[in-house]
Every structure is written in structure tokens, then in C-alpha cells.
Amino acid sequence: MRKPDEESFRAFAGKHAAGLRRCAYLFCGDWHLAEDLTQQALIKIYRAWAKVQKQDSLQNYSRRVLLNTWLDEKRRPWRRSELRYETVPDTPDVSADPEAAQDRSWAKDMTHRALLELPPRQRAALVLRYFDDLSVAEASAVLGCSEGTVKSQTARGLATLREVVENLTAGRPARRVVS
């Protein structure tokens, strides 16, 4: 690769790697796998950088590569046999109000657990639309489908997410209100 191309790729990777990693985490739910997916996606982008940098939206292209990398990873048979028994709990923020920190931690954990219950396409649509704040047109470009598909996957994903959250919260003890 020519030196100017390499410098432009380094600038792109430095600027967007953290956002891609966060998006990958929301796709897969595991920080270690998210780092691997981000690295694999950046390698794929690096290999095609001469052609890729001429595209209108490098961010959408990089999200598309990341999404395809994640979907490819999910299709691998040895990933399907992996069992998860328990997740490590988040540590509360001791500088904040303990009850507020507990509520934030619970909501964050609940959202994360509920997202992991969604089918991959619905999860991808919700992550791109609401966590990456993409428009319907941008999300359809990343997902490689029509805008109507993005809208229907988002609507179905939200409906499924509501059901999952209701099922998960049914087992949560009621908060006591102290007067």
C-alpha cells in the first residue's frame, strides 16, 4: 500500500475503531468478541482500502463490513456449541447515588440481556437505528436491504424487545418506595 493510503487508513481506523467496537459489542454482547470482530473488519477494509476510500460513506461501508463479519462469525458451527451460564455483574459507580446507580446498572443490564434475545437481523436493525443513530436510509445501506425491510425489522425488533423485557422483569422484585 502506498504511504498516503496507509496514512489515510490509519486516520480512518483511529477515528472510527472505538465506534465500530461499540457497535460490534451491541451486535454480539461480548467485549472480547467485539474486539476480534472490529479487528477482522478493519483488516478487511485495509485490504480493499484503495477501492474503498473512493466511496461516499466510509462509515456505512465499515458498518456493513462489521455486520457481515459478525453474521459470518455467528454461522460458524463451533460458536453454536458454546454455552453461557452466567454473566459477570457490572460494578456500581460508588461516586453516584447507590440506588440511582443500581437502577442504571439494572436498566443497562436488562437492555443488554434483552438485545441478546433478539434474532440477528432485528438486533442489527435496532442497534444501527437507535444506538448508532442512523436514519432508515443509512441503516438500509449498511444492512444491504430496502428501507421497508429496515422499518419492518425495527418494528418487529421493538415488539420482540418489549416482550423479552416484560418476561425478564416479571421476575424482578418490586422496588420499595421510602417516604
Side-chain angles (χ1 to χ4, degrees):
M1 181 183 285
R2 295 186 342 242
K3 189 160 182 80
D5 287 344
E6 188 167 330
E7 289 174 5
S8 66
F9 174 77
R10 284 178 190 257
F12 170 79
K15 183 177 180 183
H16 297 288
L20 288 172
R21 182 175 168 256
R22 181 178 56 87
C23 188
Y25 172 72
L26 291 171
F27 284 151
C28 68
D30 178 8
W31 281 113
H32 299 289
L33 180 58
E35 289 173 358
D36 291 344
L37 292 172
T38 303
Q39 183 177 11
Q40 290 172 14
L42 287 173
I43 288 170
K44 290 176 183 180
I45 293 168
Y46 178 81
R47 288 180 182 155
W49 187 251
K51 294 180 281 185
V52 170
Q53 66 181 339
K54 296 175 182 142
Q55 295 215 357
D56 291 337
S57 178
L58 286 172
Q59 269 189 299
N60 282 347
Y61 179 81
S62 63
R63 285 187 188 106
R64 176 66 187 244
V65 170
L66 180 66
L67 175 64
N68 288 340
T69 303
W70 172 61
L71 291 173
D72 289 345
E73 187 71 20
K74 282 195 64 77
R75 291 181 191 117
R76 295 196 175 144
W78 58 84
R79 288 284 182 196
R80 288 187 211 129
S81 63
E82 190 174 301
L83 297 174
R84 294 185 185 186
Y85 294 103
E86 189 66 37
T87 58
V88 178
D90 291 339
T91 57
D93 183 9
V94 294
S95 64
D97 175 31
E99 190 169 328
Q102 182 181 6
D103 288 344
R104 281 193 306 274
S105 178
W106 177 84
K108 182 179 176 182
D109 181 55
M110 182 62 61
T111 304
H112 181 251
R113 287 180 20 210
L115 269 175
L116 292 177
E117 296 290 322
L118 296 178
R121 297 287 287 185
Q122 290 178 8
R123 186 185 326 167
L126 290 178
V127 167
L128 293 173
R129 289 281 292 127
Y130 298 109
F131 291 94
D132 270 355
D133 202 26
L134 297 183
S135 68
V136 173
E138 291 170 329
S140 71
V142 172
L143 291 170
C145 60
S146 69
E147 290 182 16
T149 302
V150 171
K151 291 176 185 178
S152 68
Q153 289 294 317
T154 302
R156 288 183 186 132
L158 288 173
T160 306
L161 194 64
R162 278 186 203 99
E163 288 177 23
V164 170
V165 168
E166 286 175 8
N167 291 339
L168 290 173
T169 56
R172 181 176 186 240
R175 272 186 58 204
R176 290 182 302 201
V177 179
V178 179
S179 300

